[in-house]
DNA sequence: TTAACATACTTTCATTATGAAAGTAAATGT
DNA sequence: ACATTTACTTTCATAATGAAAGTATGTTAA
């Protein structure tokens, strides 16, 4: 029996069968946090995914409608991978994984300011991240506008 | 290289190395949602984990201080597995996985009322779940008190 | 125009993890 | 005492991953 075969009708199990492997959420993290969009960029990540595994995961994520693949207009060798709305719905999970890791990994690099901002203004920040990603940005590239706009929302 | 070896300093990667395998979060779900606490109860879940894999996952989760193992006072054959505070910190991730699965699985069984309650009152419900679990309960066993108390919080 | 290079894969093979089934040991029930 | 329950361990086939090399197509620069 393959690992991604249907094992139950539980919603959590459904999610884990979709993105519960060791690599899918790292690829999605690369898109959301770092603004990576191509095979070569994913391959260059710190975690060193294998070329074959990366290719398989991209196919699987596309089949599940979590990402889309479009050939670049400027360089037809390049395929641009982007999140669908279904993929954008995974952002809350990434935020929680980052918070748990930051809290429990003594050697983590994540910013406490970011974690605090997310905790204080979760819904606003999720919405901001979605908009930023839809306009070709990312959490790191647009960090200030995401955090500042969230703060402003508080004071308005 | 083993899959759970340190691959980067990313907080998300740290979390995925801890609970990003296909089974750990299902065991934690069994504890949180269904109030399961023993090897035999985990084994009886719909997803049909293998006996060897379950034993390995329980050891790994204990080593990571996500669960604790205590011999039952009433039946010394039984080992009682429970979440530590570190394990309880995973509850938000379970809630998000349930929400994503419910939204995107056409055949899901999860309750929309539950998802709505979590969305409207996330912090309160997480706190309630922690308390319920610390007193030997679970989301299903204490469903009404968790959801109702959260609603009351709104009206107070 | 063409040779070098860049990009996105595919293929192969060793290693690791999982799936399925049977077996063991200690505690409990009868 | 003997059967049963509970929590594992062991064994072996299958599947997934890790590492490395190879291929195909588009781009760049001489």
């Amino acid at each position: 029996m393959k690992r991604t075969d249907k094992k139950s009708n539980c919603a959590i199990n459904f999610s884990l069968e979709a993105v519960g492997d060791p690599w899918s959420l790292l690829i999605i993290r690369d898109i959301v946090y770092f603004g990576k969009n191509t095979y070569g960029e994913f391959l260059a990540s710190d975690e060193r995914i294998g070329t074959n595994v990366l290719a398989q995961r991209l196919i699987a994520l596309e089949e599940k409608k979590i990402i889309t693949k479009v050939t670049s207009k400027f360089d037809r060798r390049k395929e641009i991978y982007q999140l669908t709305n279904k993929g954008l719905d995974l952002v809350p999970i990434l935020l929680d994984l980052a918070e748990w890791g930051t809290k429990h990994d003594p050697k983590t690099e994540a910013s406490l300011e970011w974690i605090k901002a997310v905790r204080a203004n979760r819904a606003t920040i999720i919405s901001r991240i979605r908009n930023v990603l839809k306009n070709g940005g990312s959490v790191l590239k647009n960090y200030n506008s995401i955090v500042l706009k969230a703060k402003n929302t508080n004071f308005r």
Side-chain angles (χ1 to χ4, degrees), chain A:
Chain A
M1 195 189 203
K2 282 193 300 181
R3 200 172 65 190
T4 50
D5 282 355
K6 193 89 183 178
K7 284 179 291 211
S8 74
N9 288 319
C10 168
I12 291 175
N13 185 56
F14 176 86
S15 302
L16 290 173
E17 284 178 3
V19 296
D21 66 286
W23 291 110
S24 291
L25 284 172
L26 289 176
I27 295 169
I28 295 163
R29 172 210 61 183
D30 279 351
I31 299 175
V32 172
Y33 280 81
F34 303 125
K36 299 187 176 185
N37 291 106
T38 65
Y39 184 93
E41 287 173 332
F42 300 137
L43 216 53
S45 292
D46 288 344
E47 291 86 8
R48 315 259 73 189
I49 188 172
T51 55
N52 50 353
V53 177
L54 175 56
Q56 285 165 9
R57 289 279 81 80
L58 290 172
I59 290 169
L61 288 171
E62 203 187 351
E63 283 175 349
K64 291 181 206 296
K65 315 276 190 195
I66 291 169
I67 61 175
T68 56
K69 173 184 177 175
V70 188
T71 304
S72 166
K73 292 171 191 163
F74 310 108
D75 183 344
R76 286 172 47 231
R77 290 172 301 183
K78 288 191 180 177
E79 301 290 339
I80 308 295
Y81 293 95
Q82 292 191 286
L83 290 178
T84 61
N85 282 321
K86 186 177 179 180
L88 288 168
D89 286 340
L90 293 168
V91 167
I93 295 170
L94 288 182
L95 296 179
D96 289 339
L97 288 169
E99 176 164 359
W100 192 86
T102 302
K103 183 168 180 183
H104 295 289
D105 181 7
K107 311 198 177 199
T108 190
E109 285 175 343
S111 141
L112 278 183
E113 183 199 38
W114 171 249
I115 301 294
K116 282 183 186 174
V118 171
R119 211 172 311 180
N121 251 312
R122 184 179 166 90
T124 304
I125 287 195
I126 289 171
S127 168
R128 276 281 137 204
I129 294 174
R130 293 185 81 108
N131 287 329
V132 157
L133 286 168
K134 284 187 175 179
N135 292 310
S138 71
V139 170
L140 280 195
K141 290 175 185 168
N142 303 83
Y143 179 83
N144 283 330
S145 70
I146 293 172
V147 173
L148 290 178
K149 292 222 179 187
K151 280 183 183 164
N152 285 340
T153 303
N154 256 349
F155 300 147
R156 208 169 282 154

